Amino acid sequence: MSGPRAVGIDVGGTRIKAVLMTGSGDVLEATVRPTPARPGPELGTIAGELRAELEAATGHSADALAVVVPGLFEDRAGIARWSANLGWRDLALTELLAGSLDIPVASGHDVRAGLLAEHRFGAAREVDDVLFLPLGTGIASAHMTGGVVTAGSPWTGEVGHVVIRPDGRECGCGARGCLEAEASAAALGRIWSEVEGEPRDAEDLAVAVRAGDDRAKGVWSEAVDALALVLSPAVAAAGTRLVLLGGGLALAGDLLADPLHRALSARLPGRSELSVRVAELGDRAGALGAACLALDLLTEVES
Ligand SMILES: [Zn+2]
């Protein structure tokens, strides 16, 4: 097989996903393993093991490798500044990988990598101005303007901790009423559990909304309003044409995308070209995006 191949690795809170991908986006092999507790410095060894596993399974060698991680990440320096879940601070990830592997390496942010993959192979293929919003345990975002993923300070895209209700629910960050505490999949599960008086998750809430339950519809529309409140100025500032929803809550599909589109349109008069869509690559987007980062490295080396 000709052409370059790269390994992309996505380190999540509970699972590490890895793929061996060709330059045209074909996944030759994929693998998953549990994330060890506080994996920081171990990531170099883990990346080497995953590369060896993927190469052995396919009989093809990798020409480059990249690892993407959640939390605050500084793209230019390749430093993972902070992750609450994974327990690191100022982890020099690219340097760490370069010390463990003999091929070109890169590192990046999981959500920005996911957007890159959605733009190349998924639901954002034909759009160059995109806001990608995975709604899961937390809420993060990534922005693409003019076909380029924005990556400035480690705080780029951190919309989850915009306070929308100062007297609202307690957030993991210590503040009250953050978007993440009011409208993430985890938050909606908690809110719906309170209403129902027994443990429920966001999926149960979506089922109740579809069944026409008025209490569920109320919770849902409050969440949609909260999202529109935070997203509309971001969309206006960046000239976004597509809001791409990912994460667990996006499984609700049109039940979420349609009212969010209406709420955004109401706040952004005249923006008839704005659309809201659900991402296509699911929980593999991060690993595919990491492979894209690695392949781009080879193009940079050549040019
Ligand atoms: Zn917060």
Side-chain angles (χ1 to χ4, degrees):
M1 187 181 298
S2 61
R5 289 174 295 268
V7 171
I9 299 173
D10 179 11
V11 181
T14 55
R15 291 181 306 157
I16 299 179
K17 285 160 256 172
V19 296
L20 178 61
M21 191 182 87
T22 67
S24 47
D26 293 324
V27 174
L28 301 175
E29 185 69 26
T31 183
V32 181
R33 64 159 75 180
T35 307
R38 305 181 79 82
E42 269 178 80
L43 285 179
T45 313
I46 292 172
E49 289 169 5
L50 288 168
R51 172 197 176 187
E53 184 185 330
L54 293 166
E55 287 181 338
T58 58
H60 291 296
S61 59
D63 302 297
L65 176 148
V67 174
V68 299
V69 297
L72 299 183
F73 192 86
E74 197 165 340
D75 288 53
R76 218 163 295 165
I79 296 176
R81 288 294 175 199
W82 186 63
S83 167
N85 279 342
L86 295 165
W88 58 56
R89 234 173 232 289
D90 298 329
L91 178 72
L93 189 51
T94 300
E95 202 180 293
L96 184 73
L97 296 170
S100 313
L101 297 153
D102 56 0
I103 49 175
V105 292
S107 61
H109 186 255
D110 58 351
V111 180
R112 289 193 279 278
L115 171 54
L116 192 63
E118 289 286 348
H119 183 247
R120 291 194 189 170
F121 315 120
R125 266 193 305 276
E126 72 287 17
V127 191
D128 284 344
D129 299 282
V130 187
L131 192 165
F132 179 41
L133 189 80
L135 298 155
T137 312
I139 297 181
S141 76
H143 300 249
M144 171 175 276
T145 48
V148 178
V149 177
T150 309
S153 87
W155 293 98
T156 308
E158 285 289 317
V159 297
H161 301 285
V162 176
V163 174
I164 49 160
R165 292 179 189 124
D167 56 348
R169 288 159 195 280
E170 222 167 272
C171 180
C173 74
R176 276 188 173 277
C178 291
L179 180 65
E180 189 166 302
E182 305 281 345
S184 65
L188 291 183
R190 283 193 296 272
I191 294 166
W192 188 232
S193 299
E194 283 169 23
V195 173
E196 289 273 84
E198 46 191 296
R200 292 281 189 261
D201 61 20
E203 214 179 310
D204 299 323
L205 172 62
V207 169
V209 174
R210 282 191 204 283
D213 184 311
D214 283 333
R215 299 164 311 157
K217 288 199 287 192
V219 172
W220 199 256
S221 78
E222 275 194 21
V224 167
D225 287 345
L227 289 168
L229 184 71
V230 174
L231 294 185
S232 50
V235 164
T240 303
R241 290 174 52 221
L242 169 66
V243 173
L244 193 60
L245 303 172
L249 207 54
L251 297 175
D254 292 346
L255 189 70
L256 180 63
D258 289 347
L260 183 57
H261 183 238
R262 282 194 297 276
L264 284 171
S265 299
R267 288 178 180 275
L268 297 161
R271 293 292 307 277
S272 56
E273 87 295 359
L274 179 69
S275 60
V276 178
R277 217 178 283 164
V278 172
E280 280 177 8
L281 303 176
D283 66 358
R284 208 184 243 192
L288 296 180
C292 292
L293 290 177
L295 289 164
D296 289 355
L297 212 56
L298 298 171
T299 322
E300 281 164 25
V301 170
E302 276 167 23
S303 58

